[in-house]
């Protein structure tokens, strides 16, 4: 059941900035969505709430809803999902595309999340056949500029009322009487001040620590900045290693990453956790996006490997503090005219190009029972879709 074609422009050598989809009218504000009634639905919204929609969510369900909006922030208001050490039974997931930004279970409210650089997100609930809980509710607000994290207000001391001097009444001056002179009282000696002993200072957290999972497995340290790596040239098979850092509002920046790839990262993976909550799960050869753990007081980096393929591992820098620097916005390179490739005429071709266009190459509807592909060689490419009409099916 072919329909009309697709086309995409690509630019290589520029920044890694995301591509914002074209807007289709003003986003709706204050929408209320539930997985019970809106399963599979995609809406464009500026703010609203999402809940499971049940008093107790049912067994053996996979429900989801997607919100289209830029740089959304999620604040959880209720959470009760069957608890498990790795959230392997029931779980609520936050996804940006196919990337899991958070996987949560248990009875504690997950931390607030800022999905900076994203243009949509999905909330998904998965339940098994056993225990069910009361579900969840989460508020969201989207926009290119997110409000700063609200800090506790400093109490302002009440002003001290000024003392009003009482009016002075001038008494009549009596007629002096002759008296015997009285010697003046002795001048009091000034009191010797007692020096105050300062309280012992609390040692500051360590800066620029270097940790690796090979030597520091299971260790917990307090630090304001540093680096964590796997510590191997090639990490070994069948490992579960982790290290925990105590610090407020930490930001993670990955500097190298090479972990066995699998579509859902079920073989080998690196996981970022706050307590038992998964904030990111990564595999493959691409650097994960920077991650801000706002509102947290610590985080754990964990590496899991199976018995098969192993790779060279990872390294990630972190910095912790109450105020994080703003995320820089990459400036995309301007489009440069380049070749036009068509899947119909250039099937299985591989070209080296800095920019260009790829189309399906059919005048009307593309043909049925086809499998075409082209390959472009270039560094740090960015794709901008200019036309798209392909038969829809929920899982493609």
């Amino acid at each position: 059941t072919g329909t009309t074609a697709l086309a995409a422009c690509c630019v290589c050598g520029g920044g890694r900035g995301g591509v914002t989809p074209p807007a289709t009218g003003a986003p709706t504000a204050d929408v209320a969505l539930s997985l019970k009634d809106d399963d599979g639905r995609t809406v464009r919204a500026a703010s609203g709430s999402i809940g499971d929609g049940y008093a107790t969510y049912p067994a053996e369900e996979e429900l989801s809803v997607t919100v289209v909006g830029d740089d959304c922030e999620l604040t959880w208001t209720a959470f009760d999902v069957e608890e498990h050490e790795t959230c392997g039974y029931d779980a609520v997931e936050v996804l940006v595309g196919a990337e899991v930004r958070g996987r949560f279970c248990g009875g504690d409210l997950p931390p607030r999340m800022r999905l900076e650089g994203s243009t949509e997100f999905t909330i998904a609930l998965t339940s098994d056949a056993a225990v069910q809980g009361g579900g969840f509710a989460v508020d969201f607000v989207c926009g290119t500029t997110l409000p700063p994290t609200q800090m506790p207000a400093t109490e302002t001391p009440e002003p001290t009322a000024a003392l009003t001097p009482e009016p002075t009444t001038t008494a009549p001056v009596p007629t002096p009487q002759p008296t015997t002179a009285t010697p003046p009282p002795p001048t009091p000696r000034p009191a010797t001040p007692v020096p105050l002993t300062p309280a012992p200072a609390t040692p500051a957290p360590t800066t620029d620590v270097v940790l690796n999972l090979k030597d520091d497995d299971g260790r917990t340290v307090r630090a304001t900045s540093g680096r964590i790596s796997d510590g191997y040239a090639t990490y070994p098979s069948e490992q579960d290693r982790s290290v925990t850092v105590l610090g407020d509002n930490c930001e993670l920046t990955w500097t190298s990453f090479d972990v066995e790839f699998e579509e859902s990262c079920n073989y080998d993976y690196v996981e970022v956790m706050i307590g038992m909550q998964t904030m990111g799960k990564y595999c493959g050869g691409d650097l994960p996006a920077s991650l801000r753990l706002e509102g947290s007081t610590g985080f754990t980096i964990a590496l899991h490997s199976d018995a098969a393929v192993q790779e060279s591992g990872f390294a990630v820098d972190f910095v912790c503090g109450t105020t994080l620097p703003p995320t820089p916005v990459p400036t995309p390179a301007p489009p440069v005219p380049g070749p036009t490739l068509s899947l119909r005429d250039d099937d299985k071709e591989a070209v080296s190009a800095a920019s260009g266009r790829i189309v399906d190459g059919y005048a009307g509807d593309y043909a049925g029972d086809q499998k075409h592909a082209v390959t472009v060689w270039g560094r740090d490419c960015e794709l901008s879709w200019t036309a798209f009409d392909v038969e829809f099916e929920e899982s493609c």
Side-chain angles (χ1 to χ4, degrees):
T1 58
T3 58
T4 53
L6 60 88
C9 293
C10 62
V11 177
C12 305
R16 293 180 178 270
V19 179
T20 304
T24 54
T28 306
D30 298 327
V31 299
L33 304 169
S34 77
L35 301 187
K36 174 182 177 183
D37 301 324
D38 301 303
D39 179 34
R41 188 177 172 197
T42 298
V43 299
R44 176 177 290 276
S47 61
S49 62
I50 302 172
D52 59 287
Y54 300 92
T56 300
Y57 59 82
E60 298 185 305
E61 288 288 352
E62 290 187 5
L63 306 172
S64 66
V65 66
T66 298
V67 172
V68 177
D70 298 333
D71 304 320
C72 298
E73 180 177 25
L74 310 184
T75 304
W76 304 86
T77 57
F79 202 87
D80 181 20
V81 175
E82 179 186 12
E83 185 168 358
H84 177 257
E85 185 176 353
T86 61
C87 297
Y89 297 156
D90 298 356
V92 175
E93 283 187 318
V94 179
L95 301 103
V96 174
E99 179 185 351
V100 178
R101 291 290 184 91
R103 180 179 175 90
F104 310 110
C105 63
D108 295 331
L109 287 178
R112 188 175 64 178
M113 300 179 67
R114 292 192 180 194
L115 307 177
E116 298 195 40
S118 65
T119 56
E120 66 174 48
F121 68 90
T122 299
I123 300 288
L125 168 67
T126 303
S127 62
D128 63 7
V131 180
Q132 290 78 51
F136 72 93
V138 58
D139 294 338
F140 66 89
V141 58
C142 304
T144 53
T145 302
L146 291 171
T149 303
Q150 185 175 359
M151 302 298 294
T154 303
E155 293 186 2
T156 303
E158 295 184 1
T160 304
L163 296 178
T164 304
E166 295 185 4
T168 303
T169 304
T170 303
V173 180
T175 304
Q177 300 291 328
T179 58
T180 304
T182 303
T187 303
R189 301 176 63 185
T192 303
V194 179
L196 297 176
T197 303
T202 302
T206 308
T207 59
D208 297 328
V209 298
V210 178
L211 304 169
N212 70 71
L213 301 188
K214 175 183 176 183
D215 301 324
D216 301 305
D217 179 35
R219 188 178 171 194
T220 298
V221 300
R222 177 175 291 279
T224 56
S225 63
R227 168 169 290 195
I228 302 171
S229 67
D230 59 287
Y232 299 92
T234 300
Y235 59 81
S237 62
E238 298 185 306
Q239 298 291 311
D240 280 292
R241 295 177 174 268
S242 66
V243 67
T244 297
V245 172
L246 301 180
D248 298 332
N249 304 321
C250 298
E251 181 176 24
L252 310 185
T253 303
W254 305 85
T255 57
S256 65
F257 200 89
D258 185 17
V259 175
E260 180 188 12
F261 175 76
E262 192 271 330
E263 187 173 355
S264 55
C265 296
N266 283 330
Y267 297 160
D268 297 359
Y269 57 83
V270 174
E271 197 167 20
V272 180
M273 306 174 71
I274 295 179
M276 299 305 299
Q277 311 296 336
T278 298
M279 305 304 295
K281 184 178 180 182
Y282 311 103
C283 63
D286 296 331
L287 286 177
S290 296
L291 187 62
R292 294 192 179 199
L293 307 175
E294 297 199 38
S296 67
T297 56
F299 66 91
T300 298
I301 298 286
L303 168 68
H304 169 82
S305 62
D306 63 7
V309 180
Q310 289 79 51
E311 304 290 359
S312 60
F314 73 93
V316 59
D317 293 340
F318 68 88
V319 59
C320 304
T322 53
T323 303
L324 292 172
T327 302
V329 179
T331 303
V336 179
T340 297
L341 304 172
S342 85
L343 300 183
R344 185 184 68 173
D345 301 327
D346 302 306
D347 185 29
K348 298 181 177 59
E349 288 286 332
V351 299
S352 178
S355 64
R357 169 168 291 194
I358 302 171
V359 299
D360 61 285
Y362 293 90
D365 295 345
Y366 55 82
D369 295 326
Q370 298 294 312
K371 188 174 183 179
H372 296 303
V374 296
T375 300
V376 174
W377 295 98
R379 296 181 63 86
D380 301 329
C381 298
E382 178 180 334
L383 307 182
S384 301
W385 301 88
T386 57
F388 200 92
D389 186 14
V390 176
E391 180 186 12
F392 174 76
E393 194 273 330
E394 185 174 353
S395 58
C396 295

